[in-house]
Amino acid sequence: MNEKKFETRAIRQQNERTRNREHSVPLYLTSSFVFDSAEQAEALFDGQVEGNIYSRFSNPNTDEFVTKMTDLEHCEEGVAFATGMAAVFASLAGLVNSGDHVVASNSLFGSSLQIMTKILPRWNISTTFVAPDDPDQWQGAIRPETRMLFVETPSNPGLRLADLEFLGTLARERNLILNVDNCFATPYLQNPADFGAHLVSHSATKFIDGQGRVLGGVVVGQAELLQDIRFFARQTGPALSPFNAWVLSKSLETLAVRMDRHCDNAEKLAHFLSSHPKVKSMAYPFSASHPQFELARKQMKRGGALVTFEVKGGAEQARQVVNQVQMISRSSNLGDSRSIITHPATTTHAKQTPLEREQAGISDGTLRVSVGLEEINDIIDDLDQALGWG
Ligand SMILES: *Cc1c(COP(=O)(O)O)cnc(C)c1O
């Protein structure tokens, strides 16, 4: 199927039809599978033949979702998870050992930071945090015991980019695993494996579902690494439910059209905010004003659906805007068909110290908008009236 275009592969790759000749894949709500014979059971458990045994290990709905994600991310194998955090955790815990060291971006999703600062140290795994856009810091943080580089690009919520080609080369030269959380870009806008990433992790809860209904996660990457992650997942049990897998596989069919509209809307909102008298600064990767505009065009197809801006007047004015929006949802989520506004300093990043927030590019006046699929003028009008207050 690889010669077909992204949109086609996302739609046309599906499980083989059953004898019912269904057009769309059915939902397989079954916890276990039956064996035709004792010999077949033995062969399946032995791994001599591939097939379903138990839905914690595999299920036709999860398989279809993983097969598509693996293909769309140009990877070899994948494993699905109940949530994005289960995927991120397994991509670390399945591979790093006591005494190992991780170099990670200082601008990660909150729970990923918590795993690295509070959970992994209990097993003697330490992390050094670096500015995602500073090659010298990445290089300087590597130690003999370093095993993995972990990054999100664009970053949350500052929308700073890490240079994927640089990191891919660094990982190869130093024999490290490059693990990229590609949640913000989705495989439609960016394929980290093309630049040398060994693992690509996702929260499918965001743009892959895209309509704020189900949670899910996936890790795709090199077959050898996926073997260890799959072993970890099978034994520890963070399996994606067949129903959520069915929703997510269906959602991939519309990922391209949805992302194009998300990007159209985000570009227009970014343009509107960049000249608004109440706005101090605005970040959007495909805006010419973004300091990494060239890099964005090199490694991303378009700029994505997140727009981050800082209002004049700091925390007080940011609170006003959040309270005055009429249509846009006040939520900490992102990647929904509905536009969402978030005040990172008091919600998603409240657990960080002011210095950590500053390093991640978050001030008290920073607001993040996950631009949805509503008509763009309705989104702009709502923010305009909210900014007009105070
Ligand atoms: C939401 C998110 C996660 C966590 O995903 P869940 O599905 O909520 O567990 C991880 N990384 C990034 C970048 C996210 O936005």
Side-chain angles (χ1 to χ4, degrees), residues 83-85 88 109 112 152 181 183-184 203 205-206 215-216 334:
T83 65
M85 282 328 300
V88 167
F109 186 71
S112 300
E152 279 170 32
D181 180 336
C183 171
F184 270 36
S203 168
T205 313
K206 311 296 168 53
L215 294 137
L334 60 98

Side-chain angles (χ1 to χ4, degrees), residues 116-277:
M116 290 171 194
T117 54
K118 306 267 165 57
I119 299 177
L120 293 183
R122 289 166 47 206
W123 294 295
N124 191 28
I125 296 155
S126 60
T127 304
T128 302
F129 294 100
V130 299
D133 49 0
D134 184 344
D136 292 341
Q137 286 192 32
W138 284 102
Q139 228 148 5
I142 296 170
R143 303 180 198 160
E145 63 272 22
T146 304
R147 177 132 165 87
M148 186 182 284
L149 308 178
F150 190 100
V151 72
E152 279 170 32
T153 180
S155 71
N156 175 22
L159 304 178
R160 285 186 289 163
L161 307 188
D163 185 333
L164 288 173
E165 188 174 22
F166 163 77
L167 290 177
T169 305
L170 183 64
R172 193 177 59 245
E173 285 172 1
R174 308 292 289 268
N175 200 22
L176 306 169
I177 299 164
L178 175 59
N179 189 351
V180 180
D181 180 336
N182 202 28
C183 171
F184 270 36
T186 82
Y188 181 60
L189 300 179
Q190 174 173 277
N191 289 124
D194 292 353
F195 299 95
H198 305 92
L199 294 174
V200 181
S201 22
H202 277 280
S203 168
T205 313
K206 311 296 168 53
F207 297 101
I208 290 174
D209 172 37
Q211 297 175 64
R213 298 304 198 281
V214 304
L215 294 137
V218 64
V219 181
V220 292
Q222 288 188 342
E224 198 190 324
L225 299 173
L226 261 298
Q227 266 174 30
D228 290 341
I229 294 171
R230 184 173 301 108
F231 174 81
F232 179 85
R234 277 186 173 220
Q235 314 314 322
T236 58
L240 179 64
S241 84
F243 177 74
N244 285 8
W246 179 86
V247 171
L248 294 170
S249 185
K250 176 176 73 63
S251 299
L252 282 176
E253 296 176 17
T254 56
L255 182 66
V257 285
R258 287 187 287 106
M259 289 314 293
D260 272 329
R261 179 61 69 88
H262 276 299
C263 293
D264 290 345
N265 282 355
E267 282 168 14
K268 287 177 189 149
L269 182 67
H271 180 74
F272 165 77
L273 289 172
S274 62
S275 60
H276 198 285

